[in-house]
Amino acid sequence: MALGLLGIALGTASLRTGWTLPWVRRRVTRSRMHGLGVLLVSTTCVVQGLFYFHVLPSLTWEIRFFGANALMFSGMILVAAGQMMGPPRRTR
């Protein structure tokens, strides 16, 4: 859950300001799309942790499994698309 919360902070920073981590910055061409993907993956991790520690009422395993996989997969697609699409970012 701690890494999920860190990912939420990084995704929010990428969405609002366009900032990414230094070792990812060279590959990311669309920082907002990358940030949205990181937010989806991180939110899935945090919600799964809340289900595990019984903070949220538990749903059936099918809903948790397919819902988490759908959000995680769509987040990974957005992260990959943020690195592949568009012109390369200009360096200063």
Side-chain angles (χ1 to χ4, degrees), residues 6 14-15 22 24 28-30 34 39 49 54-55 64 68 70 72 76-77 80 83 89:
L6 178 65
S14 182
L15 273 176
V24 181
V28 173
T29 56
R30 303 216 176 184
H34 179 80
L39 266 178
H54 301 290
V55 176
R64 287 185 295 170
M72 188 87 63
M76 287 190 294
I77 288 174
Q83 292 179 2
R89 176 185 275 190

Side-chain angles (χ1 to χ4, degrees), residues 42-62:
S42 303
T43 303
T44 304
C45 293
V46 170
V47 169
Q48 288 297 317
L50 293 176
F51 281 139
Y52 178 76
F53 291 116
H54 301 290
V55 176
L56 294 176
S58 185
L59 302 170
T60 63
W61 73 269
E62 293 95 354

Side-chain angles (χ1 to χ4, degrees), residues 60-78:
T60 63
W61 73 269
E62 293 95 354
I63 293 174
R64 287 185 295 170
F65 178 75
F66 291 119
N69 284 340
L71 288 176
M72 188 87 63
F73 188 65
S74 61
M76 287 190 294
I77 288 174
L78 284 174

